[in-house]
Amino acid sequence: GGLIVSVVLTSRAGAVLAVTLNRPAVLNALNAEMLAALADAWHEATDPSVRAVVLTGAGRGFCAGQDLADLPDRPPVRAGLRHAYNPVVLALAALEKPVIAAVNGIAFGGGTELTLACDIAYAAESAQFSFKEVTVGLMPGYGIIRGPDVIGRHHTRYLALSGRTVDAHEARSMGLVCQVHSDDDLVPAAVALAEEIAANPPLAVQVGKAFINRGTEVGYPESVEAIALLFARPEHRAAVDAFRARRFR
C-alpha cells in the first residue's frame, strides 16, 4: 500500500509541542481513529521537556466536530460518549501544560468544544465557531459545561440554543478567543505565545493553570446522561439520516 499518514501529527520545537489534526478532506472531523491519536498526543505532552502545546488543524478547517458518517447506526450511547470523545476533551483540559488553540477555519460542534478546552485560543480571520449539535437534536456536552465559565451564560445560550455560526471577531468579543490574526500569521503567533509561556518557571505555570481551572468539571457526568437521552430520540436519528442522504447521494 501507499504511505499512511497519521490523522494527528505532532512535532517538537524546543519546549513547544505542536499537535495538528490531520483529516483535511473532511475538515478534520473527529472519528474514533483521530480520538485515539489525540489521546496519544496528550500523553506525549506529559514529557517533562514539553512546557506548552499548540493545537491546530491541517488544511482550511480546525475541526468540523464529530464525523456523523462515523457514528454507528445504534450506538451504545453512554458507553460511546464516556469512552470516546469526552475523555479526550477532558484529558486536554486536565493537561498540566498550557494548551494554545490556533483555530484556522471551521470549528463546529466538537471544534468549538476543543477550543473551550484549551487554555488560550487565537483565531484566524477565516475561523468560524458554532454549536451545531442542536440542529441534529443534540446538545454540546462539554460546551455547555465549560462555555459559561469561558464566554458566560448568555453567549453559551446564544450559541447552544440557536446553532448559529459566529466569525473570529464575534468570538473575540465573546471571550472565546484572545486574539485574531491573519491566516498566515496565526500559527506563528500561537507558537510565539507558547514559547513565551514555556520560558516561565514551569511550576508557576502549572499551579496557575490548575487554580484557574478548578471546579470546571462540575455537572459533566449529568450532561453525558442528558445527551444519551437525546441520542435515543427519533428527531436525532431523522436529522442524521438526512445529513447522510445529502452527503452520500
Side-chain angles (χ1 to χ4, degrees):
L3 183 67
I4 296 171
V5 178
S6 175
V7 293
V8 173
L9 304 173
T10 59
S11 64
R12 278 290 296 276
V16 177
L17 176 72
V19 179
T20 304
L21 305 175
N22 190 38
R23 295 181 74 212
V26 290
L27 298 176
N28 302 313
L30 298 163
N31 63 2
E33 184 189 5
M34 184 180 262
L35 290 168
L38 276 176
D40 289 343
W42 306 155
H43 181 71
E44 194 177 330
T46 62
D47 182 313
S49 65
V50 172
R51 290 194 180 184
V53 179
V54 173
L55 176 66
T56 194
R60 58 190 184 84
F62 176 67
C63 174
Q66 175 72 47
D67 190 343
L68 289 182
D70 189 55
L71 288 176
D73 279 336
R74 288 212 164 28
V77 176
R78 285 179 180 78
L81 286 168
R82 288 209 189 98
H83 301 303
Y85 175 70
N86 292 345
V88 172
V89 179
L90 291 173
L92 165 58
L95 268 183
E96 291 183 341
K97 318 296 169 68
V99 184
I100 296 145
V103 183
N104 57 303
I106 282 175
F108 287 171
T112 292
E113 294 187 290
L114 281 175
T115 306
L116 286 166
C118 292
D119 297 294
I120 300 164
Y122 283 3
E125 290 281 355
S126 62
Q128 297 180 55
F129 301 86
S130 73
F131 288 137
K132 289 289 183 195
E133 289 89 345
V134 72
T135 66
V136 292
L138 298 177
M139 69 179 198
Y142 184 77
I144 59 170
I145 300 298
R146 187 67 175 250
D149 275 334
V150 179
I151 60 176
R153 291 180 189 230
H154 275 70
H155 288 133
T156 304
R157 282 192 287 259
Y158 173 65
L159 293 177
L161 304 184
S162 69
R164 278 191 176 183
T165 300
V166 296
D167 66 17
H169 294 283
E170 271 188 279
R172 186 177 181 190
S173 74
M174 290 179 178
L176 179 57
V177 303
C178 291
Q179 292 186 8
V180 178
H181 292 272
S182 73
D183 287 37
D184 289 343
D185 292 340
L186 173 71
V187 171
V191 169
L193 176 65
E195 287 171 342
E196 223 172 296
I197 291 171
N200 291 325
L203 188 60
V205 172
Q206 181 185 327
V207 172
K209 168 171 175 166
F211 260 82
I212 292 164
N213 280 3
R214 72 193 185 282
T216 52
E217 297 79 35
V218 176
Y220 199 71
E222 293 83 351
S223 80
V224 171
E225 296 300 320
I227 292 173
L229 187 75
L230 293 170
F231 252 110
R233 299 285 302 167
E235 302 94 309
H236 169 62
R237 177 54 47 209
V240 170
D241 288 345
F243 170 85
R244 286 175 164 163
R246 286 195 302 274
R247 177 158 170 180
F248 298 119
R249 69 170 178 230

